[in-house]
Amino acid sequence: MSPTTETLTAERILEATEEVLRRHGPTKATVVDVARALGVSHGSVYRHFRTKAELREAVTKRWLDRASGALAAIADDGDRDPAQRLRDWFQGLFDAKRRKAGDDPELFATYSVLVDENGEVVGEHIAELVAQLTRIVEAGMASGVFAPGDPASVARALFHATDRFHDPCHAREWTRPEIQDELEAILQLLLRGLAA
Amino acid sequence: MSPTTETLTAERILEATEEVLRRHGPTKATVVDVARALGVSHGSVYRHFRTKAELREAVTKRWLDRASGALAAIADDGDRDPAQRLRDWFQGLFDAKRRKAGDDPELFATYSVLVDENGEVVGEHIAELVAQLTRIVEAGMASGVFAPGDPASVARALFHATDRFHDPCHAREWTRPEIQDELEAILQLLLRGLAA
DNA sequence: CAGATGACAGATTTCAAACTCTGTCATTTG
DNA sequence: CAAATGACAGAGTTTGAAATCTGTCATCTG
């Protein structure tokens, strides 16, 4: 079975769409391009995704899910000190973002456009990240390392206080040399505020 | 001396430019429009501002200076508790921003465009705001209410941790009803981290 | 008959020609 | 003679006609 005769699956379409987005950028990537890349007619793509918007949304979700998967490991490593786990989680998030934005700025810009047009999916992604944070905060409160409180709203506050280091609208700042020190200064202040 | 024969000053040009920007928006406001509004030829405008970019920059600076002036009063009220002054300062900044964005979204969008194209002037504006914060933090450390440290870098950390509530790239969120609670949650965490 | 195709209508984007704006400067005005 | 003017060249923007794309569906193929 050669690759060109493999059955057409949603997964293969998503892979081809990522490639077309990478090559053509968010404004010029068309459904016809995706079909051409797969050697099928564009009508076949519409059998798996009802609209172009739905296809772009699915690609966005896949990308965001890969990103949150990597962080879950840090969040759920229950053996380690919650304060240190919080630091590592934020540092991991920031490093991943900065690497993506720095290594391939065009692809990052492409995904920033997709993120802007898919508020719903992004909302779920952020909810997942805050849920991971909530688990760390909960562990810290349970062990008495952190002052008691509502873990979910504390987690949300931590996430928002560090927007500068993960929200793509701040991406231009991530190349400045002081940025790492700025993150550490904020984390220190937040962790001090969190301590029992 | 009727208004139309008044001498042409930089100040009058800036006022006319604000009005033209308000009416036509940032993309359609031309130097010719500004000259027409003043009843002069566009060549006369170029006697006071070397380029259109310089004129737009001057308008932006004027607007930002008006904004920081209002906050300076809170920052420099030396009689009050630094912690409460910090709260009031951030609340004042947020209220002003939210009011501008909510009351006249088109004008706010216009100034957001100007802010994007004038990084230098915005940098000075932010430096002024951080300087105001630094004065509050300094007072708090001097009086022993805040833990000792470098007031300037703590002030910068406070400013960045609250980006979500003053940076125009987050303006879309400022209409959400939970936003006030989110600000208070972050301020509480930060002030706890700051306390001696 | 499940899955793929490509012709098609309406929506959207592209492209080049026409137009408007910016910035300069020789000339005019008070 | 200091300040203002408006004609002008080149840069940038608008506009509408042509080209392309999206989404549907009747037809085809294995």
Side-chain angles (χ1 to χ4, degrees):
Chain A
M1 217 198 269
S2 88
T4 50
T5 52
E6 255 178 289
T7 41
L8 188 60
T9 61
E11 183 59 25
R12 281 189 67 219
I13 293 172
L14 288 177
E15 259 154 37
T17 306
E18 274 198 355
E19 181 56 24
V20 167
L21 281 165
R22 185 186 300 272
R23 282 212 149 87
H24 296 26
T27 56
K28 289 186 184 169
T30 71
V31 176
V32 172
D33 288 331
V34 173
R36 197 178 8 249
L38 289 162
V40 300
S41 77
H42 75 282
S44 302
V45 174
Y46 280 98
R47 177 164 295 282
H48 296 264
F49 296 94
R50 287 210 307 283
T51 63
K52 183 188 187 182
E54 196 173 280
L55 174 57
R56 286 163 78 100
E57 184 182 277
V59 169
T60 308
K61 183 164 169 23
R62 231 168 82 107
W63 187 67
L64 295 176
D65 285 352
R66 280 198 299 253
S68 46
L71 286 166
I74 300 175
D76 296 329
D77 180 357
D79 294 338
R80 301 182 49 246
D81 169 35
Q84 197 52 51
R85 246 195 293 165
L86 263 190
R87 272 186 204 280
D88 290 350
W89 191 92
F90 278 115
Q91 191 67 58
L93 178 58
F94 181 48
D95 288 347
K97 292 265 178 166
R98 192 167 44 165
R99 189 155 16 80
K100 275 173 195 150
D103 290 357
D104 191 342
E106 291 204 8
L107 186 60
F108 188 79
T110 292
Y111 275 107
S112 296
V113 170
L114 291 180
V115 155
D116 273 345
E117 67 191 33
N118 289 287
E120 176 114 7
V121 165
V122 174
E124 284 161 22
H125 172 66
I126 290 174
E128 161 62 19
L129 293 182
V130 173
Q132 292 182 13
L133 272 180
T134 302
R135 295 200 292 275
I136 307 180
V137 172
E138 234 162 8
M141 288 176 177
S143 70
V145 179
F146 296 160
D150 173 31
S153 61
V154 168
R156 210 175 306 113
L158 291 171
F159 191 75
H160 289 155
T162 51
D163 265 1
R164 178 178 177 76
F165 307 95
H166 45 73
D167 197 308
C169 74
H170 293 288
R172 298 177 310 114
E173 319 263 5
W174 297 344
T175 53
R176 302 187 349 165
E178 322 87 285
I179 194 79
Q180 174 64 35
D181 291 341
E182 289 175 8
L183 173 57
E184 278 165 24
I186 289 184
L187 285 179
Q188 187 178 330
L189 211 50
L190 292 170
L191 285 168
R192 237 180 143 258
L194 215 50
Chain B
M1 221 198 267
S2 87
T4 50
T5 53
E6 254 179 289
T7 42
L8 188 60
T9 61
E11 182 59 24
R12 282 189 66 220
I13 293 173
L14 289 176
E15 258 154 38
T17 306
E18 273 198 356
E19 181 57 22
V20 168
L21 281 166
R22 187 186 298 274
R23 282 212 149 86
H24 298 340
T27 57
K28 288 187 185 171
T30 71
V31 176
V32 172
D33 288 331
V34 173
R36 200 180 5 250
L38 289 162
V40 299
S41 76
H42 75 282
S44 303
V45 173
Y46 280 97
R47 177 163 296 282
H48 296 264
F49 297 93
R50 287 210 307 282
T51 63
K52 184 188 188 182
E54 196 174 280
L55 175 57
R56 286 164 79 102
E57 183 182 275
V59 168
T60 308
K61 182 163 170 25
R62 232 169 81 106
W63 188 67
L64 295 176
D65 285 352
R66 280 199 299 255
S68 46
L71 286 167
I74 300 175
D76 296 329
D77 181 357
D79 295 338
R80 301 181 50 246
D81 169 36
Q84 196 52 51
R85 247 196 291 165
L86 262 190
R87 272 185 203 280
D88 290 350
W89 191 91
F90 278 115
Q91 190 67 57
L93 178 59
F94 181 49
D95 287 348
K97 292 266 178 165
R98 191 168 45 165
R99 190 155 17 78
K100 275 172 196 151
D103 289 358
D104 191 341
E106 291 204 7
L107 187 60
F108 188 79
T110 292
Y111 276 106
S112 296
V113 170
L114 291 180
V115 156
D116 273 346
E117 66 191 33
N118 290 286
E120 175 116 4
V121 165
V122 173
E124 285 161 21
H125 172 67
I126 290 174
E128 161 61 19
L129 293 182
V130 172
Q132 292 183 14
L133 271 180
T134 303
R135 295 200 291 274
I136 307 180
V137 172
E138 234 161 9
M141 287 177 178
S143 72
V145 181
F146 295 161
D150 173 32
S153 62
V154 168
R156 209 175 306 114
L158 290 172
F159 192 75
H160 289 155
T162 52
D163 265 1
R164 179 178 176 77
F165 307 95
H166 44 72
D167 197 308
C169 76
H170 294 288
R172 298 177 311 114
E173 318 264 5
W174 298 343
T175 54
R176 303 188 348 166
E178 322 88 282
I179 194 81
Q180 175 64 35
D181 292 342
E182 289 174 8
L183 173 58
E184 279 164 24
I186 289 183
L187 285 180
Q188 187 178 330
L189 211 49
L190 292 171
L191 285 168
R192 239 181 142 257
L194 215 49

